[in-house]
Amino acid sequence: MPFDSARFLEAEERDGPDFQPVEAAIAEFRSGHPYLLFDKRATSRIRQRANLNPKLLARLEASLREKGSGSVKQELRTRIKRQARRLIHTSFLALISDGTTREDALQATRDALSGFAAETSWKARPVIKSFLDCAEIAVAVSLAYDWLYDELSDDERQVIEESLFRHVLEPALAAYNDRFALWPKRRDNCTLVSNSGILVASLAVLERYPEASIQLIRKSLSSSWSIFSALAPDGAWPEGLSYWSLAMRYASLMVAALESTFGQSLGLADRPGFAQTGDFALHAVGPFGAAFNFGDSEHQFDVSTLTWFAHRFKRPIDAWLIDAYEGWYLPFSVIWGDRPKTHSTALNLPTGKVFHSGNLACFRNTWSKDPTARPVYVAIKGGNVPASRVGASSRPENLILHAQADAGSFIVDGARHRWIIDLGPDDYDLPGYFDHGTDHSSGPRWRYYRTQAAGHNTLVIDGRNQIPTARAPIIGNCVDGHCKWAVFDLSAAYGRPAGSIRRGAALVGRQVLIQDEIGSEIAGTIVWSVHTSAEPVAVARSVVRFRMGDDRFVVRILEPEGARFELGFPPEPRSFPVADVRQLHGLSVLAGEAIRISELPRRADDKGKRAVGALIRRLQIVWPTGTRRLSVLFLPDYDSDDSAPLVTPLNEWLARRPVRLAPHPRSEYWTHSNRDAEGAPPVDAGLLASLPAERDARAGISL
């Protein structure tokens, strides 16, 4: 969650929206509620479709029975979302129902609107300088006002209009015109959500406040234009899937409201990568539904975002992904119900995908989720800044606040488990968690293990962190056939010349190969590491065997011969005092109350709860002196080991010479025919080393 910086920024020179169509569309606008998302002609069709959807009706009626205020024990952001979503539900229920249900829903909507209008501010958290929280309420109030316009009295309409002006339009004009305000210039989910809420509210009261609304439509469009460019060329979002779902939900609301009000998107719908963004939700997810949770993103995300995309762009993939959706966004699935129908077998989905917009590669051997199909999935990312991004990545408005030092980090899934894991975000209330520093690499954020390079599945050189704003692009790839691969140039992330540090990732059949190569000019201590929540069973010098339940996982060093594994634990979580409780994102604490915030436990997420599952272990290799290549093989759910990828230089990968299989001694693998530990090489106690950062520079980061 972002905070502001009182630092003057010159506006970046860039292409922007063409305002001539904007002026023409506004001049032709004729008020006639409803017009946000649909018009009066569509109302009867929406009512009919909604009343044939028992899942929707059950959810709407459950919302009606809820208490409107929400629990005071809820985290503030959660409470705001819950109240706003309940208002959308009750107003939609009033629109589609009759009789007592309609009257009850109308009354609940009136009560909620009155309560929001009476609030002193819709920006509940002082730390949030953008309109993130305000936007949730602004959209809900605007939609309820528009949909039920004819049911409201003149006095009720005036109260709502004035509250939208007071809470949204007036402060938004001040924010956009404040040259010290940083959030309107950012390219993240908070700015996009803020712009969307401001634009939807401005459209709702365009007739009542035309001058202010027109200014805000222009300013929100200008601010959003560059944010949409983050999706070019292929639809990946740089903040990960959980933030993608939030950003694209509000992007689609913005575009849908423009098209329903003016008959056109004013260019936003045509921005490169926007229509294809559903591919990101398809490929950045493993076989059992867990997303690649890079940055501050999480395993879970809301796929309902694709409801409008499936309706607007008629993409069968998007429609298939939301086909079984049953969550809070169901009213919009009825509003945007014109979606293509198809079965997954007819989609002919590719098993490999590279996203240059996110420096991300995702490979799988099958789309089947059935364990008997033995699915394997690997996803790996490069730098946080796409190579195509023009302008200095160090400018504050270009900074991705949720980025971590994770260039080259990857995850590996089997049929039922994530064997190699990303630890994900830490507690947002940790002091300075979003303070990257004036140079974007030395702030308090980088003292936390989960944000450092050491806390990821990548390389640490001389105990130093990566440069989070460096470009680390994909320089070659193959996404077809039995062998899929990608090669990343990680050099800039370590402040080294291009081509000096490269990482290749390949999926050969069901085997995952990670291969690193460094130039002769790279010296010092180099530590290769990965994290897992699996239980270790046997550790030898070059082979480690893990299990989860009945499933098994093998990691093997292919090259060099002298490399050996060390298995231990990440450093223990640390606790930090909070100097200013006004900077808290989630906790409700009285001013003056002394508190401390701890890093999350070194445990895996479990059943949607953060850091409450199995202990996380760190498997590492200290590169032997003089080594220029390190190749490691990962074998999820493995029961055959007659062959393994033959180690070939990354230059041969880039020359499109396929990674081939070669024989390897069977005795060094752990197979399903030997599922118990009997007969396995004994555990080498020296390899089960503890790795506390304060006692071992290889496990931590020096700032």
Side-chain angles (χ1 to χ4, degrees), residues 245-534:
S245 63
L246 177 64
M248 292 303 102
R249 182 190 313 140
Y250 279 86
S252 61
L253 282 167
M254 172 186 286
V255 176
L258 285 169
E259 291 185 332
S260 65
T261 303
F262 298 137
Q264 57 178 302
S265 71
L266 306 175
L268 288 180
D270 301 320
R271 299 290 284 149
F274 184 54
Q276 296 79 35
T277 195
D279 290 344
F280 183 45
L282 175 71
H283 287 280
V285 178
F288 52 89
F292 179 15
N293 56 320
F294 60 84
D296 283 335
S297 194
E298 298 185 14
H299 293 124
Q300 297 177 316
F301 71 102
D302 189 354
V303 75
S304 68
T305 292
L306 291 175
T307 298
W308 176 82
F309 287 88
H311 169 88
R312 173 62 169 78
F313 297 112
K314 302 295 186 290
R315 290 197 349 136
I317 287 175
D318 298 343
W320 173 61
L321 286 172
I322 63 167
D323 184 57
Y325 177 74
E326 299 182 0
W328 77 271
Y329 210 62
L330 277 172
F332 298 96
S333 71
V334 172
I335 294 170
W336 300 316
D338 186 12
R339 302 185 293 271
K341 303 292 183 182
T342 189
H343 191 272
S344 60
T345 55
L347 294 175
N348 193 26
L349 300 174
T351 53
K353 177 72 175 179
V354 163
F355 294 94
H356 291 283
S357 55
N359 293 314
L360 177 69
C362 306
F363 305 137
R364 68 189 75 222
N365 65 326
T366 176
W367 279 101
S368 175
K369 300 178 181 179
D370 189 339
T372 62
R374 303 165 72 213
V376 173
Y377 173 78
V378 58
I380 180 171
K381 72 179 294 293
N384 297 307
V385 181
S388 60
R389 175 75 59 82
V390 296
S393 61
S394 61
R395 293 177 68 102
E397 65 268 35
N398 290 336
L399 186 70
I400 301 173
L401 285 176
H402 290 290
Q404 298 182 356
D406 56 1
S409 194
F410 64 98
I411 54 97
V412 176
D413 286 1
R416 286 178 284 257
H417 307 289
R418 177 150 296 171
W419 294 104
I420 302 299
I421 67 173
D422 190 296
L423 276 62
D426 215 312
D427 191 326
Y428 285 6
D429 283 327
L430 285 166
Y433 187 75
F434 293 106
D435 185 354
H436 292 231
T438 55
D439 60 355
H440 298 167
S441 60
S442 62
R445 177 176 178 84
W446 308 113
R447 66 187 173 190
Y448 302 122
Y449 186 76
R450 288 173 182 255
T451 62
Q452 302 173 354
H456 290 89
N457 308 318
T458 189
L459 304 174
V460 174
I461 300 179
D462 284 334
R464 298 185 179 276
N465 202 19
Q466 292 179 345
I467 302 171
T469 55
R471 291 179 172 85
I474 298 170
I475 58 175
N477 70 90
C478 175
V479 297
D480 301 314
H482 181 71
C483 175
K484 293 174 273 286
W485 57 266
V487 176
F488 296 78
D489 187 346
L490 305 183
S491 308
Y494 298 93
R496 306 303 173 97
S500 58
I501 303 172
R502 299 189 299 181
R503 165 162 283 191
L507 177 63
V508 187
R510 299 185 63 257
Q511 305 180 44
V512 176
L513 174 65
I514 300 295
Q515 182 164 308
D516 296 303
E517 294 181 0
I518 61 173
S520 57
E521 69 276 18
I522 305 299
T525 301
I526 303 174
V527 178
W528 175 105
S529 65
V530 295
H531 296 78
T532 182
S533 57

Side-chain angles (χ1 to χ4, degrees), residues 94-227:
L95 178 75
I96 65 164
S97 59
D98 296 304
T100 303
T101 300
R102 176 177 175 274
E103 293 302 318
D104 291 345
L106 272 173
Q107 187 57 53
T109 301
R110 285 189 167 98
D111 291 344
L113 289 169
S114 177
F116 281 129
E119 293 282 349
T120 56
S121 174
W122 291 354
K123 297 175 71 173
R125 297 180 292 171
V127 68
I128 303 298
K129 305 304 180 184
S130 72
F131 281 61
L132 178 68
D133 297 337
C134 179
E136 298 270 2
I137 303 171
V139 167
V141 170
S142 298
L143 294 180
Y145 164 79
D146 178 66
W147 295 348
L148 301 179
Y149 186 87
D150 291 340
E151 303 293 337
L152 302 171
S153 68
D154 290 341
D155 289 343
E156 288 173 323
R157 294 173 193 159
Q158 182 176 344
V159 168
I160 298 167
E161 291 162 356
E162 290 175 350
S163 70
L164 285 169
F165 182 81
R166 184 173 70 257
H167 291 299
V168 185
L169 274 65
E170 192 172 42
L173 279 171
Y176 283 132
N177 291 327
D178 181 2
R179 68 181 189 175
F180 291 95
L182 183 54
W183 74 259
K185 304 176 181 70
R186 286 205 183 277
R187 299 176 176 178
D188 57 23
N189 73 92
C190 291
T191 298
L192 187 51
V193 172
S194 299
N195 289 337
S196 179
I198 292 165
L199 183 136
V200 170
S202 300
L203 291 176
V205 295
L206 178 56
E207 186 176 33
R208 175 70 185 271
Y209 301 107
E211 183 178 347
S213 294
I214 290 169
Q215 287 187 59
L216 290 171
I217 291 168
R218 291 172 59 99
K219 290 180 181 296
S220 61
L221 277 173
S222 294
S223 177
S224 299
W225 193 262
S226 63
I227 304 174

